[in-house]
Amino acid sequence: MAKQVLSCTVNGEAVEVLVQPYVTLLDALREDMGLTGPKEGCGTGDCGACTVHVDGKVVASCLMLAMQVRGRKVRTIEGLAAADTTLHPLQDAFVRLGVPQCGFCIPGVLMAAAALLEENPRPSEEEIRYGIAGNLCRCTGYTKMVAAISEAAGTLASQRSAR
Amino acid sequence: MRRFDLVLPNSLEDCLKILAERGAQAKLVAGGTDLLPQMKNGVLKPAVVVDLSGIARVRQVQNGNGLRIGAAVTARELELSPALRGAYLAIAESAAMVGSLQVRNLATVGGNLCNAAPSADMAPPLVALEAQAVIAGPKGERRVPMADFFTGVRQTVLAPNEMLIELVVPPPGAHSGGQYLRHTPRRELDIAVVGVASQLTIADGRCTKARIALASVAPTPVRAIAAERSLEGQAVTPEAIERAAGLAIEAAKPIDDQRGSIEFRKHLVRVLTRRTLTTARERANA
Amino acid sequence: MSTMKTTRDVKGVGVSIPRPDGPEKVTGRVQYVADIQAKGLLHAKLLRSPHAHAKILSIDVTAAKALPGVRAVLTAKDIPHLKKKAPTRAHAVLAIDRVVFMGQPVAAVAADELSIAEEALDLIKVEYQVLAASIDPLKAMLPGAPPVADAGTEADTSEALAHSAVAIAKSEAPAKAVNISQQARLQRGDPAKGFAESDHVLEKTYRVPMVHQGYLEAHAVLAEWDRNGLLTLWASTQGSFNTRSEVADVLGIPENRIRVIPVECGGGFGGKIRALCEPITAVLAQVTKRPVRYVMTRREELQAGMPAPQVIIKLKTGVKRDGTLMALDAETVIDSGAYSGAVLAVSAVFLGSMYKWPSFDVRGFEVLTHKPSVAAYRAPVAPQTIFAIESHMEQIARDLDLDSVEFRMRHLIQEGDPMVNGQPWQSNGAKQVLARIAEHPHWKSRKQWVAAAGKNGKRRGVGLALGGWLGGLQPTGATVRLNPDGTLAVLTGQVDIAGTNISLAQIAASAYGVDTDLVRITTGDTDVAPMTGLSAGSKTIYTVGAAVLQAAEDARRQTFEIAAAELEASIHDLELTDGKITVRGMPDKGITLATIGKKGNLYMSKTPPVLGKANPAFTQQAPGFAAQLARLEVDADTGEVTIQDFVIVQDVGKAINPLGVEGQMQGGAVQSLGIALTEGLMFDDTGRLTNPSLLDYRKLTAADLPNLETIIVEVPAPAGPFGARGVGEPPIIPAPAAIANAIQNATGARLTELPMSPERIALALVNGKH
C-alpha cells in the first residue's frame, strides 16, 4: 500500500505530508506531523482525549481517517496559544486555578472549551458542563475545570470590549 | 486498524462505479463513528474503504414540501438545523443525543441508519415520521420506507453495490407533533437502553394519525402498532396515553444484556411511550 | 506567560501555589510514553487468550513471522527463564501451557507498524483445550471448584500484607478449598451472647463488582537495550524502583543493569504499581535489538488490566433498642482474579473497629477466579467495606429512629481505642470530620429540602457517610543541595502523580528558610535517585515529605555551620532572612547563601558543598478520614439519579498546598461516585468481559455532576511534616454509602449491590423491594 499526500492546513500553516491511507487523523498528527498534544485515551470516540478542531468544529480525531481532512483546516492544542506563545485565557485560567493533575485529558478539554467559548461566549455552568461532557477526566472531578472555563469566558469578554 | 485500500471518489457516479466493482469487499466511511471502532476491534476487516467526504450530493438539508436530508448530513447539523423544527423536532432531538459533541460533528444520519444497530437513535423518529430511504445503485434510484429499511441486527436492504443517498420525509400535516426520548445511565457519551419516538397528528380534538417507534427492544427498530391503533380516532387523554403505553410493550421483544434486562426494558417502553405521547400531544396542539 | 503568585510570609507551607508543570500541560508539551519518538522504533502487540481457562496444545507462528514488516514473534518457549509456575501476574509474561484468564498474553509481536503487528496477530494459530472455569467467587471457594493457581504455587502476599500495614491472625484453610489464597479471622468477646441480648438484628449482603481504576493513559512502556546489555525502560509507572525490581526478578537480570525512567504518568490510582507490560516489551527489544514500544489499547486495559477486586460482604449486627452496640459478625469474600494480591486486612479493620463493637467475629477470604488479577485501586477494599458498614449503620439508625450522626458519633473510635488486632488507633480526625459535616446547612436543612421536592415525579434524598484510610508507610530518601546562586535543588525518586512535587518544594522551602520560588524538585530515575517507594497509599507527603523536611533541615544545619565558621559567630546567634545569614542584631555582619554555595564549588576551596540527606523509615501511621454528603433527586420511573449537591469534608492534618488538596478531594470523590452509580466490570459466566469499552464501562462525565464542595479539616498528624497526613485515598471511600443512604431517604429502597444503576433503582421501586 502506497502512502498518499495529505494537503491541509494545521495550526494556521499549510502542510503536505505523506501518510498511510489507513491511519487516523490522530495518528497522522502524532506520528507524521510531530504534534503529540492530542492523545489516544480509547481510540473509539468515547473519551475526548483526541479532540481537535476541523474547520472550527470539535471532532474525535481517532475516528477520522487522516485523508478525510484533505483541503481542510485542523487546529490542535499546539495551536491554541498565540503566535507569540502568550497563553490563551483558557490555558492561563487552567494553570492559575490548579486544574491539570495528570494532564492527559487537558489538551482535549481545552480544545472543547475553546470551541464552546467561540460559539457561546457567555455559557452558564450547565452549558459549560455539556460543552466538555465529551471529555472524560479521571483526576479532577471537573469542578475546577468548570470554574476556569467560566473565568476565561469573562477574560475573553473584557478583552473584546477593551478593543 | 489492519491495513486497507482507501478510495476518494469526487462524485456519486464515481462512488457507484467503485461499489459496482468492489462493493463486496468495501465499506463506506462518512463520519466513521461506527465503522472505525468496529474495524479497530476486528469485527470488520474491509479490504477497501470508500470515503464519502468528497461527495457534495449527500450533504444537504432541504425544506420544501417535506424534508430532504442528505445521507451524509451530520448529527450536529441536524441538531442545529432550522429546518428541523415544528413537526420534525423529534429528528433533531434524536440527533442531539448521539454520543458527544465530538462524535456528533462527525456522525451522519446515513451512517447511523446503515450501521443499523438496534439502538440507532435517529431511526425511530424517521420511522415515526414515515420517512423514505432513497437508495442509489447501478440501475438508478429506488425508495424504501424507513420501517422496511432494517432487516436484522446491523442488516439493511442495501446490496453491496448500493448506497443510501437521501432521506425524504413527507410533510406530516397541520397539528402534528412528536418527541424522541431515550434512557441512558449517563447524560452524555452513552447509548440507548430503550428509545421511543412518538408522533401524533390531532384534528378536532381527535388523533388522526399515531406513530410510535421503539429502539433497542428488538433486532431492528419496531413500530408499536397495537398502541398506535388504540389512539387513532380517539381523544388523546391521559387514560388513552396510559393504555397506549401499556400496549407498546407488546411490540417490544428485548433481550437481557449488559445494558439492560428484559424486565427493565419493558418497563422503560411504558414510561417513555407515556412521556413522548404526552409531549407529542402538547406539541401537536401548540 | 502567566504569573504565579507565591507568598513570602509563611515561606510556602499552607499556600495555594499552582503546580509548576501547569504551563507544559496546558500547551500539550508534556511527554507521556506514547509521545516519545525513538529511531528505529518498533511497535508491539500481544495475542491474548479468548478463553478464561484452557490448556494450550500448540502455537504456530510461521505465517506471522513471514509477514513483511514483522521483526519478532515470541511465545513462552522463546523466553527460557520464565518460571514454570508464575508466582505473580508479572511473572506470567507469556502463558506456558495454560491460560487462567481471558485476555492473558500468549504470544508477542514486534513490527515496523502497529497495523502490521495487528495483522500478524491474526496469522498466529493457537490450539486450545477449553477447561471448566471458576468465575463466581462464592462457587470458586467450594471444594472441587476448577483450580486457578498452579498446584504448589505459593501465593505472593508480601505486597498485600505490607500495604495493609496491619498484622492479623491467620486461620486454618477449610479442607480442599483450592482457590482460597488468603484468609484471616479476628475475634473479640462473645458475639453469640451479644446477639442473644440484642433487640435489633440486621443482616445484609453487600456486593461490589470489580472496577477499573480508569486512568486515561493506558499502560505504556518503551524499552531499549544498549550495547553493554543495559536495559532502559521509559515507563508509565507509580514506582520506578518497584518496576525495576519486578522486571529484574521476572527476567533474571541484576537490578543495576536496568534503568527505569518514570515518564509523566497519565493517571495510576494503584493500577500502575506493579509491572505488567514491561517484561515482555524488554524481551522484544532484546530479541530485535531495536527500541520497542507497547501501549495497551483501552479494550486490553478493561479486559486484561489489573482492576480492583470484587467484594462480597455478609454483615450481621446486633444492637439494643437504645442504640447500644452488642455484636458484629462479618464475612468478606474478595475475588482477586487469577493471582493473589488483595488487601484483606483493611476490610477487617474497618468492619470491626471503626465503631466500638464490644464483640465481633470477622472472617476474610481472598478467592482466586479465572479473571484478570487485581492490583490496587485508591484505598483498596475500603470503599467496598465502608459501603457495607456505613449503609448498615444508617439502616440501624433508621430502624431504631435514632439520629444518623448522633448514633455514629456515640460509637465512633478515637485515638487510643483498640483496632481489631488490638493495636491502638493513632491520632485521627474521624470525630472532627463527622461533626463538621453535620454542621453543614445541607445536612441541617435536609428535612425541609426533601419535603420541597417538586411534583415532577422526582423524589429527593439526603445522605451522608464517613470513611477512612490508615495511611501507608514506606521507607524513602531525599537529598537537598545548595546551588552556587543560593537556590535549592531537591532530588527524590518519587513519581509526581498527585502534584506532590510542589508540596515537597513548599516543605523544603519552609524547612530550609527560603521562598518556594527558589526550590526546584527533580524526580530522578532509578540510576540517580535515592530509593523510594510507590506513589500510592496516601503516603507521599507523609513519608517523602518527611524525608525532604529532614534533608532540608540537614542542609540548613550544614549551611549554618559554614556560616558560623565564616562569620566567627555561634551558630545559635545566626538567622536566615531573604537569602542572607546574619548575626542577630548585626545586620551588616552576614554572608549570602549564594556565597556559601559558590564556596562549596570553587577550585581548591576548603568549604564543602552543602548536601542535606535523609533516608528515613516510618513506624507510625497517620489515618485520614473523610465524610461525604449528597443531596440528590431520583426519577422514580426511570431510576435516574441527579446529584444536586455534594460535599466532601476531609481531615488532611495540614494542607501543605490547599489547591492540590482540593483537587485530590474532588477527583477521589468522582471516582467514588462512579463506583456508587455507574461503574462495574461485567463478566459473563464464561469469564468474558461483556463491557470492554468506555461506552459500556461508564465513567461519569461533567454533565453528570454538580460542583463538588470541599471543606478541609486539620487535625495534625504527630509525625507528619508540619502535621500533614496523606490525602489521596480518603475521598474515594464514603460516596457509595452516602449515595445509598440518600437513595433510601428519597425512595425507601435500600440498595446493597453496586453500581446503583437506574435499572436497580427503578426495579427496586417497581417490585417494592426494600
Side-chain angles (χ1 to χ4, degrees):
Chain A
M1 278 137 207
K3 287 191 173 183
Q4 298 179 347
V5 176
L6 171 61
S7 300
C8 58
T9 307
V10 179
N11 295 330
E13 291 187 10
V15 159
E16 254 191 22
V17 64
L18 283 173
V19 298
Q20 297 287 11
Y22 44 82
V23 301
T24 61
L25 172 60
L26 178 65
D27 286 335
L29 288 168
R30 290 174 50 77
E31 310 285 334
D32 299 313
M33 292 184 243
L35 296 167
T36 55
K39 307 294 180 204
E40 174 154 326
C42 72
T44 53
D46 296 312
C47 77
C50 67
T51 304
V52 300
H53 297 181
V54 173
D55 291 338
K57 301 194 188 63
V58 286
V59 300
S61 62
C62 71
L63 295 180
M64 289 190 88
L65 295 175
M67 290 304 295
Q68 287 184 301
V69 299
R70 58 194 185 280
R72 298 170 79 176
K73 293 198 179 80
V74 180
R75 191 172 178 215
T76 71
I77 185 68
E78 288 91 343
L80 187 61
D84 68 354
T85 75
T86 309
L87 291 181
H88 187 285
L90 277 168
Q91 292 168 310
D92 186 65
F94 270 45
V95 171
R96 276 184 299 98
L97 269 58
V99 176
Q101 289 188 33
C102 85
F104 201 76
C105 75
I106 294 295
V109 172
L110 283 169
M111 295 315 284
L116 169 73
L117 293 186
E118 274 159 31
E119 192 185 286
N120 181 356
R122 297 201 156 269
S124 64
E125 183 198 323
E126 189 176 2
E127 286 167 333
I128 293 175
R129 286 185 174 277
Y130 274 92
I132 61 170
N135 294 81
L136 292 180
C137 170
R138 196 55 160 174
C139 297
T140 71
Y142 308 107
T143 297
K144 288 182 192 295
M145 255 177 214
V146 172
I149 295 171
S150 186
E151 189 180 294
T155 307
L156 283 164
S158 14
Q159 282 177 359
R160 267 193 302 271
S161 54
R163 284 195 207 112
Chain B
M1 283 189 289
R2 293 154 186 79
R3 295 171 289 182
F4 52 83
D5 285 333
L6 181 63
V7 192
L8 311 172
N10 286 320
S11 69
L12 182 57
E13 292 67 39
D14 283 347
C15 188
L16 289 170
K17 266 198 219 111
I18 296 160
L19 290 180
E21 287 163 33
R22 306 181 76 181
Q25 340 153 292
K27 279 285 173 190
L28 297 169
V29 67
T33 57
D34 282 318
L35 180 68
L36 262 63
Q38 291 180 73
M39 288 176 67
K40 291 180 188 194
N41 287 338
V43 168
L44 294 171
K45 300 180 196 179
V48 181
V49 173
V50 183
D51 175 31
L52 300 179
S53 56
I55 305 178
R57 168 85 164 76
V58 291
R59 307 186 66 95
Q60 317 209 330
V61 180
Q62 291 163 298
N63 188 358
N65 184 24
L67 274 181
R68 302 179 76 94
I69 306 174
V73 172
T74 67
R76 181 67 170 162
E77 285 164 346
L78 289 177
E79 181 184 351
L80 299 177
S81 169
L84 283 159
R85 300 283 166 252
Y88 304 113
L89 195 53
I91 302 174
E93 288 179 323
S94 69
M97 291 178 190
V98 171
S100 65
L101 206 45
Q102 291 92 326
V103 167
R104 290 198 288 287
N105 276 322
L106 293 172
T108 62
V109 59
N112 194 237
L113 298 172
C114 294
N115 183 54
S119 54
D121 288 305
M122 292 193 257
L126 289 167
V127 169
L129 281 161
E130 301 184 299
Q132 298 210 309
V134 180
I135 298 170
K139 301 198 188 108
E141 292 180 14
R142 65 185 179 110
R143 292 192 178 199
V144 173
M146 210 64 242
D148 302 330
F149 182 77
F150 308 97
T151 58
V153 175
R154 296 195 195 275
Q155 287 163 14
T156 67
V157 295
L158 291 170
N161 56 6
E162 292 183 309
M163 64 182 275
L164 177 70
I165 55 169
E166 196 170 49
L167 297 157
V168 176
V169 187
H175 304 297
S176 181
Q179 187 190 37
Y180 176 70
L181 280 180
R182 69 178 192 174
H183 167 72
T184 55
R186 294 184 294 180
R187 282 168 177 71
E188 195 80 338
L189 280 175
D190 219 322
I191 186 167
V193 176
V194 168
V196 178
S198 293
Q199 191 78 24
L200 294 176
T201 308
I202 299 180
D204 295 324
R206 289 187 180 275
C207 170
T208 54
K209 187 189 280 189
R211 293 289 178 268
I212 303 169
L214 314 176
S216 289
V217 293
T220 68
V222 287
R223 272 173 62 187
I225 297 195
E228 291 170 356
R229 290 203 182 124
S230 79
L231 289 165
E232 284 174 344
Q234 311 293 328
V236 185
T237 61
E239 296 73 34
I241 288 176
E242 198 56 43
R243 189 170 56 242
L247 287 168
I249 300 177
E250 290 175 16
K253 311 256 178 290
I255 56 170
D256 272 327
D257 71 11
Q258 25 87 343
R259 290 182 191 145
S261 67
I262 294 172
E263 187 187 357
F264 185 49
R265 287 181 151 129
K266 287 186 174 178
H267 170 77
L268 284 174
V269 167
R270 180 197 298 273
V271 172
L272 297 180
T273 303
R274 176 197 307 133
R275 292 184 181 181
T276 52
L277 284 174
T278 305
T279 305
R281 182 192 56 188
E282 283 163 28
R283 290 179 178 171
N285 287 333
Chain C
M1 279 295 289
S2 87
T3 50
M4 286 182 283
K5 293 198 175 60
T6 59
T7 183
R8 291 171 189 272
D9 311 288
V10 195
K11 290 203 161 52
V13 165
V15 178
S16 283
I17 302 178
R19 292 169 67 148
D21 59 4
E24 291 280 286
K25 286 182 169 161
V26 298
T27 51
R29 289 171 50 91
V30 157
Q31 295 234 300
Y32 304 82
V33 169
D35 301 329
I36 300 174
Q37 293 298 327
K39 259 207 274 221
L41 182 68
L42 296 179
H43 302 269
K45 274 272 175 201
L46 299 185
L47 183 69
R48 296 176 176 276
S49 163
H51 305 292
H53 191 203
K55 273 203 198 118
I56 299 175
L57 300 176
S58 67
I59 308 181
D60 181 359
V61 299
T62 336
K65 277 188 168 156
L67 186 66
V70 169
R71 303 291 170 184
V73 182
L74 302 178
T75 62
K77 64 171 169 36
D78 300 307
I79 312 175
H81 52 270
L82 287 189
K83 292 189 168 73
K84 181 79 169 67
K85 292 170 184 170
T88 71
R89 172 86 173 269
H91 284 85
V93 178
L94 291 177
I96 297 175
D97 52 13
R98 189 169 73 112
V99 289
V100 291
F101 65 94
M102 201 177 296
Q104 183 174 358
V106 166
V109 170
D112 293 344
E113 289 176 35
L114 214 46
S115 295
I116 296 174
E118 278 183 51
E119 291 177 22
L121 294 188
D122 287 346
L123 296 171
I124 301 175
K125 300 186 200 22
V126 186
E127 236 187 300
Y128 294 99
Q129 180 194 342
V130 180
L131 304 170
S134 286
I135 305 299
D136 177 341
L138 298 178
K139 295 196 185 117
M141 285 172 83
L142 302 174
V148 179
D150 283 312
T153 306
E154 281 288 312
D156 177 8
T157 59
S158 55
E159 179 72 44
L161 288 173
H163 194 65
S164 75
V166 172
I168 52 173
K170 299 222 168 90
S171 68
E172 306 262 332
K176 299 204 179 71
V178 292
N179 292 320
I180 297 180
S181 45
Q182 283 188 71
Q183 55 187 306
R185 185 173 192 176
L186 289 127
Q187 295 166 286
R188 178 189 291 163
D190 185 349
K193 179 162 179 287
F195 282 117
E197 292 169 3
S198 298
D199 302 313
H200 174 277
V201 174
L202 181 66
E203 188 164 1
K204 285 195 181 292
T205 299
Y206 299 89
R207 290 170 202 271
V208 184
M210 282 184 158
V211 290
H212 190 274
Q213 298 85 349
Y215 35 81
L216 210 47
E217 182 213 12
H219 275 92
V221 62
L222 174 62
E224 188 170 18
W225 296 77
D226 74 5
R227 294 200 177 263
N228 290 322
L230 292 172
L231 168 66
T232 302
L233 293 169
W234 289 264
S236 177
T237 174
Q238 292 176 246
S240 43
F241 285 91
N242 188 70
T243 300
R244 186 178 74 162
S245 295
E246 287 200 64
V247 172
D249 189 36
V250 169
L251 297 181
I253 319 169
E255 289 206 27
N256 68 357
R257 307 204 55 86
I258 304 174
R259 178 182 187 193
V260 177
I261 300 176
V263 181
E264 189 76 44
C265 181
F269 313 112
K272 295 178 182 171
I273 60 169
R274 303 223 172 113
L276 185 62
C277 324
E278 295 82 352
I280 187 59
T281 312
V283 176
L284 285 170
Q286 191 176 42
V287 162
T288 58
K289 299 185 175 33
R290 301 264 290 269
V292 176
R293 186 170 76 200
Y294 180 51
V295 181
M296 279 178 96
T297 65
R298 183 56 52 179
R299 195 180 177 86
E300 286 178 300
E301 272 290 349
L302 291 167
Q303 285 177 327
M306 298 188 287
Q310 177 182 162
V311 180
I312 301 170
I313 297 177
K314 220 163 62 168
L315 185 54
K316 177 174 155 190
T317 54
V319 175
K320 282 218 182 286
R321 191 165 298 116
D322 68 355
T324 305
L325 303 185
M326 299 299 291
L328 179 144
D329 183 283
E331 186 168 293
T332 303
V333 171
I334 299 182
D335 172 1
S336 173
Y339 297 89
S340 174
V343 185
L344 208 56
V346 168
S347 196
V349 166
F350 284 98
L351 284 174
S353 51
M354 192 162 95
Y355 297 103
K356 291 179 282 202
W357 294 92
S359 70
F360 57 74
D361 184 351
V362 177
R363 301 170 298 288
F365 298 91
E366 180 190 65
V367 178
L368 301 183
T369 59
H370 290 108
K371 297 205 281 290
S373 63
V374 305
Y377 180 19
R378 204 163 186 169
V381 183
Q384 299 90 329
T385 302
I386 295 298
F387 172 57
I389 189 71
E390 282 291 282
S391 296
H392 216 77
M393 291 295 278
E394 184 72 32
Q395 191 63 51
I396 296 169
R398 251 181 96 92
D399 289 349
L400 298 179
D401 208 19
L402 299 169
D403 178 85
S404 303
V405 170
E406 276 171 31
F407 177 57
R408 287 178 169 84
M409 194 66 90
R410 184 175 151 197
H411 302 299
L412 189 56
I413 50 85
Q414 54 195 21
E415 183 178 355
D417 287 331
M419 296 200 287
V420 283
N421 57 1
Q423 289 173 30
W425 273 97
Q426 299 293 310
S427 138
N428 65 78
K431 290 204 167 188
Q432 291 88 330
V433 159
L434 183 60
R436 183 62 185 84
I437 206 162
E439 284 167 29
H440 196 286
H442 291 339
W443 183 250
K444 292 176 108 116
S445 68
R446 62 194 180 283
K447 290 201 169 74
Q448 299 93 293
W449 189 79
V450 169
K455 300 273 182 272
N456 54 359
K458 298 244 174 104
R459 304 202 200 153
R460 286 182 165 186
V462 181
L464 59 68
L466 174 72
W469 184 249
L470 296 179
L473 298 176
Q474 196 161 9
T476 189
T479 61
V480 174
R481 195 184 69 198
L482 178 65
N483 289 326
D485 63 354
T487 60
L488 292 182
V490 177
L491 177 65
T492 81
Q494 196 69 20
V495 178
D496 182 5
I497 294 199
T500 41
N501 272 359
I502 181 62
S503 299
L504 295 177
Q506 289 169 271
I507 289 172
S510 296
Y512 186 90
V514 294
D515 294 320
T516 305
D517 273 358
L518 297 178
V519 179
R520 190 157 76 86
I521 307 277
T522 298
T523 305
D525 63 51
T526 55
D527 273 4
V528 301
M531 282 293 297
T532 198
L534 304 171
S535 293
S538 302
K539 59 179 177 66
T540 296
I541 292 303
Y542 190 68
T543 61
V544 183
V548 167
L549 177 71
Q550 292 170 29
E553 286 174 341
D554 183 23
R556 180 182 165 100
R557 194 171 40 248
Q558 294 173 30
T559 308
F560 273 58
E561 279 165 8
I562 293 168
E566 292 287 328
L567 298 173
E568 292 172 333
S570 161
I571 202 169
H572 305 289
D573 295 331
L574 298 178
E575 54 191 20
L576 166 57
T577 324
D578 282 335
K580 188 169 178 186
I581 295 181
T582 52
V583 178
R584 200 170 290 110
M586 294 163 69
D588 294 327
K589 191 162 183 209
I591 179 171
T592 64
L593 293 178
T595 304
I596 295 174
K598 279 193 188 60
K599 277 179 178 293
N601 194 39
L602 276 179
Y603 188 63
M604 301 299 278
S605 166
K606 295 189 175 63
T607 307
V610 170
L611 180 63
K613 148 190 111 58
N615 56 334
F618 304 88
T619 55
Q620 188 178 15
Q621 289 174 281
F625 276 82
Q628 290 172 354
L629 175 154
R631 293 205 306 188
L632 50 78
E633 287 188 345
V634 180
D635 180 326
D637 285 326
T638 62
E640 288 165 29
V641 169
T642 306
I643 307 172
Q644 299 288 6
D645 302 279
F646 197 79
V647 180
I648 310 143
V649 176
Q650 187 170 334
D651 169 28
V652 306
K654 170 74 182 170
I656 303 289
N657 185 327
L659 197 59
V661 168
E662 287 160 6
Q664 289 298 300
M665 290 165 74
Q666 290 167 339
V670 170
Q671 289 179 311
S672 200
L673 289 167
I675 296 171
L677 290 167
T678 57
E679 292 183 42
L681 290 167
M682 294 186 270
F683 294 89
D684 69 15
D685 53 22
T686 71
R688 184 181 66 94
L689 183 67
T690 61
N691 58 338
S693 78
L694 291 184
L695 179 60
D696 287 306
Y697 185 88
R698 293 179 162 83
K699 294 189 276 182
L700 295 170
T701 72
D704 296 309
L705 295 159
N707 283 331
L708 308 167
E709 184 183 341
T710 55
I711 298 174
I712 293 174
V713 164
E714 292 177 323
V715 176
F722 301 96
R725 301 172 186 273
V727 308
E729 279 159 311
I732 198 178
I733 298 170
I739 296 290
N741 293 339
I743 289 173
Q744 192 195 40
N745 185 228
T747 66
R750 166 60 63 190
L751 273 73
T752 57
E753 185 163 4
L754 297 182
M756 292 173 284
S757 61
E759 168 157 351
R760 289 202 165 111
I761 295 170
L763 293 183
L765 296 178
V766 162
N767 297 324
K769 278 203 270 275
H770 287 187

